mmCIF file of all heavy atoms in Angstrom:
data_model
loop_
_atom_site.group_PDB
_atom_site.id
_atom_site.type_symbol
_atom_site.label_atom_id
_atom_site.label_comp_id
_atom_site.label_asym_id
_atom_site.label_seq_id
_atom_site.Cartn_x
_atom_site.Cartn_y
_atom_site.Cartn_z
ATOM 1 N N SER J 63 28.890 7.690 5.283
ATOM 2 C CA SER J 63 27.927 8.023 6.328
ATOM 3 C C SER J 63 28.144 7.178 7.586
ATOM 4 O O SER J 63 27.686 7.536 8.668
ATOM 5 C CB SER J 63 26.492 7.842 5.817
ATOM 6 O OG SER J 63 26.235 6.479 5.554
ATOM 7 N N LEU J 64 28.834 6.052 7.449
ATOM 8 C CA LEU J 64 29.118 5.201 8.607
ATOM 9 C C LEU J 64 30.599 4.869 8.720
ATOM 10 O O LEU J 64 30.987 4.028 9.544
ATOM 11 C CB LEU J 64 28.370 3.871 8.527
ATOM 12 C CG LEU J 64 26.864 3.866 8.553
ATOM 13 C CD1 LEU J 64 26.299 3.849 7.148
ATOM 14 C CD2 LEU J 64 26.335 2.663 9.315
ATOM 15 N N LYS J 65 31.435 5.523 7.940
ATOM 16 C CA LYS J 65 32.817 5.060 7.761
ATOM 17 C C LYS J 65 33.563 4.865 9.070
ATOM 18 O O LYS J 65 34.269 3.887 9.246
ATOM 19 C CB LYS J 65 33.576 6.047 6.887
ATOM 20 C CG LYS J 65 35.016 5.625 6.658
ATOM 21 C CD LYS J 65 35.713 6.535 5.699
ATOM 22 C CE LYS J 65 37.208 6.332 5.594
ATOM 23 N NZ LYS J 65 37.710 5.017 5.775
ATOM 24 N N ASN J 66 33.413 5.776 9.999
ATOM 25 C CA ASN J 66 34.225 5.666 11.214
ATOM 26 C C ASN J 66 33.711 4.585 12.160
ATOM 27 O O ASN J 66 34.315 4.332 13.192
ATOM 28 C CB ASN J 66 34.302 7.021 11.920
ATOM 29 C CG ASN J 66 32.930 7.533 12.327
ATOM 30 O OD1 ASN J 66 31.906 7.022 11.864
ATOM 31 N ND2 ASN J 66 32.883 8.521 13.190
ATOM 32 N N ARG J 67 32.614 3.933 11.795
ATOM 33 C CA ARG J 67 32.074 2.856 12.631
ATOM 34 C C ARG J 67 32.254 1.483 11.996
ATOM 35 O O ARG J 67 31.971 0.481 12.639
ATOM 36 C CB ARG J 67 30.584 3.091 12.897
ATOM 37 C CG ARG J 67 30.271 4.382 13.634
ATOM 38 C CD ARG J 67 28.754 4.597 13.730
ATOM 39 N NE ARG J 67 28.123 3.430 14.303
ATOM 40 C CZ ARG J 67 26.909 2.990 13.955
ATOM 41 N NH1 ARG J 67 26.199 3.620 13.038
ATOM 42 N NH2 ARG J 67 26.399 1.919 14.543
ATOM 43 N N LEU J 68 32.671 1.434 10.746
ATOM 44 C CA LEU J 68 32.719 0.173 9.998
ATOM 45 C C LEU J 68 34.147 -0.351 9.863
ATOM 46 O O LEU J 68 35.078 0.425 9.641
ATOM 47 C CB LEU J 68 32.158 0.370 8.592
ATOM 48 C CG LEU J 68 30.716 0.833 8.441
ATOM 49 C CD1 LEU J 68 30.387 1.033 6.964
ATOM 50 C CD2 LEU J 68 29.765 -0.148 9.078
ATOM 51 N N THR J 69 34.258 -1.668 9.963
ATOM 52 C CA THR J 69 35.512 -2.334 9.641
ATOM 53 C C THR J 69 35.191 -3.600 8.870
ATOM 54 O O THR J 69 34.457 -4.461 9.366
ATOM 55 C CB THR J 69 36.317 -2.708 10.899
ATOM 56 O OG1 THR J 69 36.533 -1.553 11.708
ATOM 57 C CG2 THR J 69 37.668 -3.311 10.509
ATOM 58 N N ILE J 70 35.698 -3.694 7.656
ATOM 59 C CA ILE J 70 35.502 -4.892 6.841
ATOM 60 C C ILE J 70 36.825 -5.641 6.757
ATOM 61 O O ILE J 70 37.903 -5.028 6.740
ATOM 62 C CB ILE J 70 34.952 -4.524 5.444
ATOM 63 C CG1 ILE J 70 34.418 -5.753 4.719
ATOM 64 C CG2 ILE J 70 35.999 -3.776 4.617
ATOM 65 C CD1 ILE J 70 33.617 -5.422 3.455
ATOM 66 N N SER J 71 36.740 -6.965 6.744
ATOM 67 C CA SER J 71 37.949 -7.775 6.670
ATOM 68 C C SER J 71 37.603 -9.111 6.031
ATOM 69 O O SER J 71 36.425 -9.391 5.757
ATOM 70 C CB SER J 71 38.554 -7.988 8.064
ATOM 71 O OG SER J 71 37.634 -8.636 8.916
ATOM 72 N N LYS J 72 38.629 -9.931 5.805
ATOM 73 C CA LYS J 72 38.396 -11.222 5.179
ATOM 74 C C LYS J 72 39.386 -12.249 5.675
ATOM 75 O O LYS J 72 40.448 -11.902 6.212
ATOM 76 C CB LYS J 72 38.484 -11.097 3.652
ATOM 77 C CG LYS J 72 39.838 -10.606 3.134
ATOM 78 C CD LYS J 72 39.793 -10.433 1.622
ATOM 79 C CE LYS J 72 40.997 -9.686 1.080
ATOM 80 N NZ LYS J 72 42.240 -10.390 1.093
ATOM 81 N N ASP J 73 39.029 -13.500 5.521
ATOM 82 C CA ASP J 73 39.935 -14.620 5.796
ATOM 83 C C ASP J 73 39.821 -15.554 4.600
ATOM 84 O O ASP J 73 38.833 -16.277 4.464
ATOM 85 C CB ASP J 73 39.541 -15.328 7.095
ATOM 86 C CG ASP J 73 40.523 -16.432 7.479
ATOM 87 O OD1 ASP J 73 41.256 -16.946 6.586
ATOM 88 O OD2 ASP J 73 40.568 -16.794 8.658
ATOM 89 N N THR J 74 40.802 -15.496 3.720
ATOM 90 C CA THR J 74 40.711 -16.279 2.488
ATOM 91 C C THR J 74 40.864 -17.774 2.757
ATOM 92 O O THR J 74 40.407 -18.579 1.958
ATOM 93 C CB THR J 74 41.766 -15.818 1.477
ATOM 94 O OG1 THR J 74 43.060 -15.864 2.091
ATOM 95 C CG2 THR J 74 41.482 -14.406 1.011
ATOM 96 N N SER J 75 41.476 -18.130 3.879
ATOM 97 C CA SER J 75 41.674 -19.553 4.178
ATOM 98 C C SER J 75 40.369 -20.242 4.579
ATOM 99 O O SER J 75 40.234 -21.455 4.435
ATOM 100 C CB SER J 75 42.710 -19.727 5.280
ATOM 101 O OG SER J 75 42.234 -19.227 6.516
ATOM 102 N N THR J 76 39.425 -19.462 5.085
ATOM 103 C CA THR J 76 38.148 -20.043 5.510
ATOM 104 C C THR J 76 36.984 -19.589 4.628
ATOM 105 O O THR J 76 35.829 -19.931 4.896
ATOM 106 C CB THR J 76 37.835 -19.652 6.971
ATOM 107 O OG1 THR J 76 37.765 -18.219 7.067
ATOM 108 C CG2 THR J 76 38.884 -20.190 7.917
ATOM 109 N N ASN J 77 37.281 -18.842 3.561
ATOM 110 C CA ASN J 77 36.228 -18.314 2.670
ATOM 111 C C ASN J 77 35.179 -17.522 3.453
ATOM 112 O O ASN J 77 33.977 -17.817 3.396
ATOM 113 C CB ASN J 77 35.568 -19.436 1.867
ATOM 114 C CG ASN J 77 36.411 -19.885 0.695
ATOM 115 O OD1 ASN J 77 37.355 -19.201 0.290
ATOM 116 N ND2 ASN J 77 36.083 -21.040 0.151
#
Side-chain angles (χ1 to χ4, degrees):
Chain J
S63 66
L64 296 95
K65 180 175 170 32
N66 60 346
R67 299 174 53 214
L68 300 177
T69 305
I70 194 169
S71 59
K72 60 184 168 71
D73 185 338
T74 54
S75 67
T76 60
N77 282 345

